[in-house]
């Protein structure tokens, strides 16, 4: 069997957290138009759970996760990957530093999500993400490049978002998404036309259409873009 040189081997720098890593892997399978095992992507995963917490690093100036992420990226490069994915929004605060130290492209999940917002005609979107992502305006800066304004939760709302991410999803506990009801209403009253699930743990708690709003799943967007960039075809919905 001849090797299709137009198809890229994909590497996932995972472990942030493991559930999001597994979900991305599943999405890559689901979105690839394949009729046999051999027509699916070659994917190599480094589920490195030793990578320091991204939000803690940003807010408290603790050990940077960038060094660990780059280390995982280099390991994957040695395995022959030609495209890298990082299923963690907060880590994209360090994106430029990470990409600079790696020799293969790293798909920028924040930028790809911002492009989808533009293509959907949004001018204002709510951002649900970790405090590290929100405080650094990681999404806002990228959205502004496309003329889209970011709307963030107030202090109480952000506390609720973090509760879902850390105390519920990451902790493997029962999810109560209803605690976001008032937060979403407040953000919608400020003009948010849709909401970005800007943390890869949030798709475990929130689905498009919940509360009557449109949610943009950044992990979903990353998976679809990766299929295209790796030389495969997206499955028609």
């Amino acid at each position: 069997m001849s090797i299709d040189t137009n198809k890229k081997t994909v590497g996932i720098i995972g472990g942030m957290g493991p559930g999001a890593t597994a979900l991305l892997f599943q999405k890559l399978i689901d979105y690839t138009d394949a009729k046999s095992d051999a027509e699916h992507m070659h994917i190599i995963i480094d589920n490195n759970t030793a990578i320091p917490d991204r939000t803690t690093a940003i807010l408290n100036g603790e050990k940077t996760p960038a060094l660990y992420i780059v280390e995982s990226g280099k390991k994957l490069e040695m395995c022959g990957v030609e495209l890298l994915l990082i299923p963690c929004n907060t880590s994209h605060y360090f994106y430029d530093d990470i990409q600079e130290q790696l020799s293969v492209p790293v798909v920028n999940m924040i930028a790809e999500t911002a492009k989808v917002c533009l293509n959907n005609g949004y001018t204002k979107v709510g951002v649900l993400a970790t405090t590290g992502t929100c405080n650094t305006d990681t999404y806002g800066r990228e959205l502004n490049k496309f003329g889209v304004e970011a709307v963030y939760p107030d202090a109480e709302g952000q506390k609720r978002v973090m509760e879902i991410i850390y105390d519920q999803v990451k902790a493997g506990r029962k999810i109560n998404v209803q605690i976001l009801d008032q937060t979403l209403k407040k953000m919608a009253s400020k003009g948010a036309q849709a909401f970005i699930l800007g943390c890869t743990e949030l798709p475990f708690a929130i689905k498009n259409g919940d509360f009557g709003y449109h949610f943009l799943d950044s992990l979903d967007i990353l998976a679809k873009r990766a299929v295209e960039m790796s030389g495969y075809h997206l499955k028609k919905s």
Side-chain angles (χ1 to χ4, degrees):
M1 183 188 302
S2 62
I3 297 174
D4 188 343
T5 55
N6 293 319
K7 302 290 197 302
K8 291 181 171 62
T9 298
V10 173
I12 299 177
I13 302 174
M16 304 174 282
T21 302
L23 184 56
L24 175 59
F25 180 47
Q26 186 63 55
K27 285 178 181 290
L28 290 170
I29 295 169
D30 292 342
Y31 291 139
T32 301
D33 186 9
K35 296 176 178 60
S36 68
D37 291 346
E39 292 184 0
H40 275 284
M41 304 164 68
H42 183 188
I43 302 169
I44 304 174
I45 301 171
D46 183 15
N47 190 56
N48 185 2
T49 56
I51 297 174
D53 186 79
R54 285 62 60 198
T55 293
T56 302
I58 292 170
L59 298 183
N60 302 334
E62 296 186 13
K63 188 179 295 184
T64 175
L67 298 175
Y68 294 76
I69 294 171
V70 169
E71 181 182 6
S72 281
K74 287 183 177 179
K75 286 179 181 177
L76 290 167
E77 285 180 340
M78 290 177 65
C79 292
V81 305
E82 300 158 282
L83 189 71
L84 284 166
L85 313 178
I86 307 175
C88 170
N89 283 270
T90 311
S91 68
H92 283 66
Y93 170 72
F94 307 96
Y95 177 83
D96 290 341
D97 185 29
I98 293 168
Q99 180 63 89
E100 184 178 332
Q101 299 181 65
L102 295 171
S103 59
V104 305
V106 179
V107 183
N108 190 325
M109 177 162 51
I110 309 290
E112 294 301 332
T113 303
K115 291 174 188 176
V116 170
C117 290
L118 174 67
N119 292 339
N120 284 353
Y122 298 133
T123 55
K124 268 190 178 185
V125 293
V127 178
L128 304 175
T130 65
T131 303
T133 299
C134 293
N135 282 13
T136 55
D137 198 29
T138 303
Y139 260 102
R141 286 183 282 107
E142 202 63 47
L143 288 165
N144 285 340
K145 295 176 184 179
F146 300 96
V148 182
E149 183 181 342
V151 177
Y152 294 104
D154 59 18
E156 181 60 28
Q158 185 58 34
K159 181 181 177 182
R160 297 298 186 192
V161 173
M162 290 292 279
E163 183 178 337
I164 289 176
I165 295 170
Y166 281 89
D167 299 339
Q168 296 181 16
V169 178
K170 283 184 178 292
R173 295 175 181 162
K174 184 178 179 180
I175 296 170
N176 176 19
V177 73
Q178 294 303 319
I179 63 175
L180 282 183
D181 184 37
Q182 291 303 313
T183 300
L184 295 171
K185 286 179 179 176
K186 287 180 182 179
M187 295 170 75
S189 72
K190 293 179 182 178
Q193 300 158 299
F195 296 89
I196 294 172
L197 299 181
C199 172
T200 51
E201 310 294 350
L202 289 175
F204 291 99
I206 304 172
K207 300 293 185 290
N208 190 30
D210 285 354
F211 301 97
Y213 298 118
H214 183 56
F215 293 94
L216 297 165
D217 182 351
S218 60
L219 196 64
D220 221 45
I221 292 167
L222 174 64
K224 290 177 180 177
R225 188 69 183 112
V227 171
E228 295 174 332
M229 291 180 68
S230 58
Y232 290 79
H233 295 289
L234 276 172
K235 185 180 294 181
K236 294 180 180 178
S237 56

